[in-house]
Tab-separated table of all heavy atoms in Angstrom:
chain	number	residue	atom	x	y	z
A	616	THR	N	-129.908	-51.540	-93.776
A	616	THR	CA	-129.158	-52.541	-92.988
A	616	THR	C	-129.651	-52.612	-91.579
A	616	THR	O	-129.813	-53.687	-91.068
A	616	THR	CB	-127.610	-52.310	-93.081
A	616	THR	OG1	-127.196	-52.285	-94.476
A	616	THR	CG2	-126.798	-53.299	-92.321
A	617	HIS	N	-129.911	-51.442	-91.016
A	617	HIS	CA	-130.382	-51.391	-89.680
A	617	HIS	C	-131.717	-52.158	-89.453
A	617	HIS	O	-131.857	-52.855	-88.465
A	617	HIS	CB	-130.573	-49.897	-89.233
A	617	HIS	CG	-131.486	-49.786	-87.988
A	617	HIS	ND1	-130.908	-49.947	-86.738
A	617	HIS	CD2	-132.767	-49.459	-87.797
A	617	HIS	CE1	-131.902	-49.840	-85.781
A	617	HIS	NE2	-133.036	-49.570	-86.494
A	618	LYS	N	-132.578	-51.974	-90.427
A	618	LYS	CA	-133.929	-52.686	-90.348
A	618	LYS	C	-133.773	-54.169	-90.090
A	618	LYS	O	-134.660	-54.873	-89.561
A	618	LYS	CB	-134.728	-52.446	-91.552
A	618	LYS	CG	-135.329	-51.053	-91.619
A	618	LYS	CD	-136.037	-50.822	-92.949
A	618	LYS	CE	-136.511	-49.388	-93.094
A	618	LYS	NZ	-137.276	-49.269	-94.356
A	619	ARG	N	-132.662	-54.757	-90.523
A	619	ARG	CA	-132.450	-56.189	-90.341
A	619	ARG	C	-132.266	-56.627	-88.928
A	619	ARG	O	-132.343	-57.774	-88.612
A	619	ARG	CB	-131.284	-56.662	-91.215
A	619	ARG	CG	-131.577	-56.490	-92.710
A	619	ARG	CD	-130.456	-56.975	-93.613
A	619	ARG	NE	-130.881	-56.787	-95.016
A	619	ARG	CZ	-130.051	-56.305	-95.976
A	619	ARG	NH1	-128.783	-55.918	-95.642
A	619	ARG	NH2	-130.511	-56.181	-97.170
A	620	ILE	N	-131.915	-55.596	-88.071
A	620	ILE	CA	-131.850	-55.920	-86.656
A	620	ILE	C	-133.229	-56.292	-86.144
A	620	ILE	O	-133.346	-57.229	-85.389
A	620	ILE	CB	-131.321	-54.702	-85.881
A	620	ILE	CG1	-129.818	-54.389	-86.246
A	620	ILE	CG2	-131.492	-54.840	-84.388
A	620	ILE	CD1	-129.359	-53.067	-85.669
A	621	HIS	N	-134.243	-55.596	-86.625
A	621	HIS	CA	-135.561	-55.910	-86.151
A	621	HIS	C	-136.220	-57.111	-86.747
A	621	HIS	O	-136.984	-57.808	-86.123
A	621	HIS	CB	-136.528	-54.672	-86.522
A	621	HIS	CG	-136.037	-53.418	-85.928
A	621	HIS	ND1	-135.930	-53.169	-84.562
A	621	HIS	CD2	-135.658	-52.273	-86.527
A	621	HIS	CE1	-135.585	-51.983	-84.323
A	621	HIS	NE2	-135.450	-51.339	-85.407
A	622	THR	N	-135.797	-57.425	-87.984
A	622	THR	CA	-136.305	-58.660	-88.657
A	622	THR	C	-135.442	-59.909	-88.409
A	622	THR	O	-135.919	-61.011	-88.620
A	622	THR	CB	-136.430	-58.520	-90.197
A	622	THR	OG1	-135.045	-58.266	-90.691
A	622	THR	CG2	-137.216	-57.232	-90.546
A	623	GLY	N	-134.186	-59.715	-88.027
A	623	GLY	CA	-133.296	-60.819	-87.872
A	623	GLY	C	-132.692	-61.402	-89.122
A	623	GLY	O	-131.976	-62.320	-89.121
A	624	GLU	N	-133.051	-60.657	-90.243
A	624	GLU	CA	-132.590	-61.102	-91.555
A	624	GLU	C	-131.115	-60.923	-91.730
A	624	GLU	O	-130.502	-59.958	-91.364
A	624	GLU	CB	-133.263	-60.267	-92.621
A	624	GLU	CG	-132.919	-60.645	-94.024
A	624	GLU	CD	-133.453	-59.666	-95.101
A	624	GLU	OE1	-134.013	-58.658	-94.742
A	624	GLU	OE2	-133.315	-60.005	-96.307
A	625	LYS	N	-130.474	-61.985	-92.120
A	625	LYS	CA	-129.042	-62.077	-92.515
A	625	LYS	C	-128.807	-62.712	-93.817
A	625	LYS	O	-128.490	-63.919	-93.902
A	625	LYS	CB	-128.222	-62.745	-91.444
A	625	LYS	CG	-128.231	-62.002	-90.062
A	625	LYS	CD	-127.304	-62.657	-89.090
A	625	LYS	CE	-127.171	-61.838	-87.904
A	625	LYS	NZ	-126.223	-62.496	-86.867
A	626	PRO	N	-129.109	-62.015	-94.916
A	626	PRO	CA	-129.128	-62.554	-96.220
A	626	PRO	C	-127.844	-62.958	-96.852
A	626	PRO	O	-127.796	-63.567	-98.013
A	626	PRO	CB	-129.872	-61.604	-97.037
A	626	PRO	CG	-129.599	-60.245	-96.511
A	626	PRO	CD	-129.420	-60.568	-94.955
A	627	TYR	N	-126.665	-62.534	-96.301
A	627	TYR	CA	-125.410	-62.720	-96.944
A	627	TYR	C	-124.685	-63.874	-96.061
A	627	TYR	O	-124.394	-63.735	-94.938
A	627	TYR	CB	-124.622	-61.389	-96.960
A	627	TYR	CG	-125.237	-60.333	-97.615
A	627	TYR	CD1	-126.029	-59.440	-96.895
A	627	TYR	CD2	-125.185	-60.314	-98.952
A	627	TYR	CE1	-126.675	-58.393	-97.550
A	627	TYR	CE2	-125.879	-59.188	-99.659
A	627	TYR	CZ	-126.652	-58.283	-99.018
A	627	TYR	OH	-127.336	-57.353	-99.603
A	628	GLN	N	-124.272	-64.952	-96.874
A	628	GLN	CA	-123.675	-66.116	-96.145
A	628	GLN	C	-122.224	-66.327	-96.708
A	628	GLN	O	-122.055	-66.256	-97.882
A	628	GLN	CB	-124.551	-67.292	-96.347
A	628	GLN	CG	-124.024	-68.521	-95.567
A	628	GLN	CD	-124.897	-69.689	-95.597
A	628	GLN	OE1	-125.758	-69.826	-96.435
A	628	GLN	NE2	-124.753	-70.517	-94.628
A	629	CYS	N	-121.315	-66.637	-95.802
A	629	CYS	CA	-119.936	-66.994	-96.217
A	629	CYS	C	-119.991	-68.391	-96.735
A	629	CYS	O	-120.471	-69.324	-95.938
A	629	CYS	CB	-119.041	-66.833	-95.020
A	629	CYS	SG	-117.327	-67.349	-95.403
A	630	LEU	N	-119.521	-68.626	-97.895
A	630	LEU	CA	-119.499	-70.010	-98.443
A	630	LEU	C	-118.466	-70.883	-97.860
A	630	LEU	O	-118.500	-72.073	-97.873
A	630	LEU	CB	-119.357	-69.980	-100.025
A	630	LEU	CG	-120.418	-69.168	-100.839
A	630	LEU	CD1	-120.070	-69.140	-102.293
A	630	LEU	CD2	-121.762	-69.917	-100.554
A	631	GLU	N	-117.489	-70.201	-97.121
A	631	GLU	CA	-116.404	-70.877	-96.498
A	631	GLU	C	-116.745	-71.542	-95.199
A	631	GLU	O	-116.449	-72.695	-94.963
A	631	GLU	CB	-115.177	-69.913	-96.375
A	631	GLU	CG	-113.927	-70.530	-95.850
A	631	GLU	CD	-113.107	-71.104	-96.909
A	631	GLU	OE1	-113.217	-70.722	-98.152
A	631	GLU	OE2	-112.219	-71.997	-96.608
A	632	CYS	N	-117.469	-70.816	-94.350
A	632	CYS	CA	-117.756	-71.225	-92.986
A	632	CYS	C	-119.311	-71.242	-92.585
A	632	CYS	O	-119.699	-71.762	-91.633
A	632	CYS	CB	-116.981	-70.441	-91.958
A	632	CYS	SG	-117.494	-68.795	-91.823
A	633	GLY	N	-120.076	-70.649	-93.616
A	633	GLY	CA	-121.527	-70.700	-93.360
A	633	GLY	C	-122.091	-69.548	-92.489
A	633	GLY	O	-123.226	-69.415	-92.285
A	634	LYS	N	-121.156	-68.779	-91.908
A	634	LYS	CA	-121.594	-67.523	-91.100
A	634	LYS	C	-122.372	-66.660	-91.869
A	634	LYS	O	-122.070	-66.434	-93.106
A	634	LYS	CB	-120.355	-66.878	-90.477
A	634	LYS	CG	-120.707	-65.874	-89.433
A	634	LYS	CD	-119.419	-65.349	-88.717
A	634	LYS	CE	-119.941	-64.349	-87.652
A	634	LYS	NZ	-118.764	-63.842	-86.876
A	635	THR	N	-123.457	-65.998	-91.320
A	635	THR	CA	-124.338	-65.115	-92.089
A	635	THR	C	-124.200	-63.663	-91.606
A	635	THR	O	-123.887	-63.474	-90.418
A	635	THR	CB	-125.810	-65.535	-91.964
A	635	THR	OG1	-126.160	-65.638	-90.676
A	635	THR	CG2	-126.034	-66.896	-92.737
A	636	PHE	N	-124.564	-62.719	-92.502
A	636	PHE	CA	-124.367	-61.319	-92.188
A	636	PHE	C	-125.593	-60.470	-92.700
A	636	PHE	O	-126.172	-60.905	-93.608
A	636	PHE	CB	-123.049	-60.840	-92.833
A	636	PHE	CG	-121.882	-61.568	-92.246
A	636	PHE	CD1	-121.466	-62.761	-92.920
A	636	PHE	CD2	-121.119	-61.025	-91.174
A	636	PHE	CE1	-120.302	-63.421	-92.400
A	636	PHE	CE2	-120.092	-61.751	-90.742
A	636	PHE	CZ	-119.634	-62.913	-91.326
A	637	ALA	N	-125.722	-59.382	-92.065
A	637	ALA	CA	-126.873	-58.478	-92.384
A	637	ALA	C	-126.441	-57.519	-93.678
A	637	ALA	O	-127.393	-57.038	-94.302
A	637	ALA	CB	-127.261	-57.627	-91.236
A	638	SER	N	-125.165	-57.349	-93.945
A	638	SER	CA	-124.794	-56.513	-95.029
A	638	SER	C	-123.740	-57.214	-95.844
A	638	SER	O	-122.886	-58.050	-95.341
A	638	SER	CB	-124.280	-55.234	-94.492
A	638	SER	OG	-123.042	-55.316	-93.851
A	639	SER	N	-123.719	-56.890	-97.088
A	639	SER	CA	-122.663	-57.494	-97.985
A	639	SER	C	-121.316	-57.021	-97.631
A	639	SER	O	-120.284	-57.768	-97.767
A	639	SER	CB	-123.023	-57.134	-99.516
A	639	SER	OG	-122.960	-55.696	-99.603
A	640	SER	N	-121.118	-55.778	-97.170
A	640	SER	CA	-119.878	-55.281	-96.695
A	640	SER	C	-119.231	-55.988	-95.617
A	640	SER	O	-118.128	-56.308	-95.502
A	640	SER	CB	-119.912	-53.726	-96.492
A	640	SER	OG	-120.784	-53.497	-95.374
A	641	SER	N	-120.214	-56.420	-94.609
A	641	SER	CA	-119.711	-57.278	-93.498
A	641	SER	C	-119.207	-58.602	-93.981
A	641	SER	O	-118.239	-59.145	-93.441
A	641	SER	CB	-120.762	-57.511	-92.447
A	641	SER	OG	-121.179	-56.212	-91.881
A	642	LEU	N	-119.995	-59.180	-94.901
A	642	LEU	CA	-119.489	-60.531	-95.453
A	642	LEU	C	-118.202	-60.335	-96.152
A	642	LEU	O	-117.353	-61.168	-95.955
A	642	LEU	CB	-120.602	-60.975	-96.419
A	642	LEU	CG	-120.226	-62.276	-97.271
A	642	LEU	CD1	-119.801	-63.390	-96.331
A	642	LEU	CD2	-121.287	-62.582	-98.316
A	643	ASN	N	-118.011	-59.365	-97.032
A	643	ASN	CA	-116.814	-59.100	-97.750
A	643	ASN	C	-115.600	-58.980	-96.800
A	643	ASN	O	-114.533	-59.518	-96.947
A	643	ASN	CB	-116.872	-57.973	-98.701
A	643	ASN	CG	-117.774	-58.380	-99.889
A	643	ASN	OD1	-117.750	-59.396	-100.306
A	643	ASN	ND2	-118.331	-57.326	-100.544
A	644	SER	N	-115.873	-58.210	-95.731
A	644	SER	CA	-114.809	-58.009	-94.671
A	644	SER	C	-114.463	-59.307	-94.076
A	644	SER	O	-113.307	-59.644	-93.818
A	644	SER	CB	-115.302	-56.961	-93.725
A	644	SER	OG	-114.246	-56.739	-92.757
A	645	HIS	N	-115.519	-60.108	-93.716
A	645	HIS	CA	-115.303	-61.340	-93.051
A	645	HIS	C	-114.509	-62.360	-93.917
A	645	HIS	O	-113.579	-63.095	-93.469
A	645	HIS	CB	-116.642	-62.000	-92.750
A	645	HIS	CG	-116.550	-63.446	-92.387
A	645	HIS	ND1	-116.150	-63.925	-91.131
A	645	HIS	CD2	-116.784	-64.565	-93.067
A	645	HIS	CE1	-116.193	-65.250	-91.144
A	645	HIS	NE2	-116.565	-65.725	-92.409
A	646	LYS	N	-114.833	-62.388	-95.214
A	646	LYS	CA	-114.062	-63.341	-96.143
A	646	LYS	C	-112.582	-63.137	-96.110
A	646	LYS	O	-111.857	-64.084	-96.321
A	646	LYS	CB	-114.595	-63.021	-97.565
A	646	LYS	CG	-115.906	-63.589	-97.834
A	646	LYS	CD	-116.253	-63.304	-99.358
A	646	LYS	CE	-117.629	-63.714	-99.654
A	646	LYS	NZ	-117.949	-63.266	-101.112
A	647	ARG	N	-112.157	-61.910	-95.796
A	647	ARG	CA	-110.681	-61.624	-95.709
A	647	ARG	C	-110.024	-62.359	-94.611
A	647	ARG	O	-108.831	-62.524	-94.587
A	647	ARG	CB	-110.413	-60.166	-95.710
A	647	ARG	CG	-110.919	-59.418	-96.926
A	647	ARG	CD	-110.571	-57.932	-96.878
A	647	ARG	NE	-111.347	-57.275	-97.903
A	647	ARG	CZ	-112.318	-56.363	-97.718
A	647	ARG	NH1	-112.482	-55.951	-96.519
A	647	ARG	NH2	-113.032	-55.908	-98.664
A	648	ILE	N	-110.803	-62.848	-93.592
A	648	ILE	CA	-110.243	-63.623	-92.546
A	648	ILE	C	-109.777	-64.926	-93.054
A	648	ILE	O	-108.673	-65.387	-92.820
A	648	ILE	CB	-111.302	-63.904	-91.378
A	648	ILE	CG1	-111.575	-62.599	-90.613
A	648	ILE	CG2	-110.891	-65.006	-90.445
A	648	ILE	CD1	-112.836	-62.632	-89.715
């Protein structure tokens, strides 16, 4: 997950609002909003 800081990769996207995340756990946590 850390390596994505260097690459800028955010492969996980919220289908509700389009926001992207570097980890699936961050996306899952975000979805609860």
Side-chain angles (χ1 to χ4, degrees):
T616 300
H617 164 80
K618 287 178 181 177
R619 293 182 181 135
I620 291 171
H621 301 299
T622 65
E624 180 188 9
K625 292 185 175 182
Y627 303 97
Q628 184 172 24
C629 176
L630 299 176
E631 187 84 20
C632 69
K634 190 171 181 179
T635 57
F636 299 88
S638 69
S639 61
S640 60
S641 295
L642 171 60
N643 285 332
S644 180
H645 165 81
K646 285 179 182 177
R647 294 183 197 120
I648 291 169

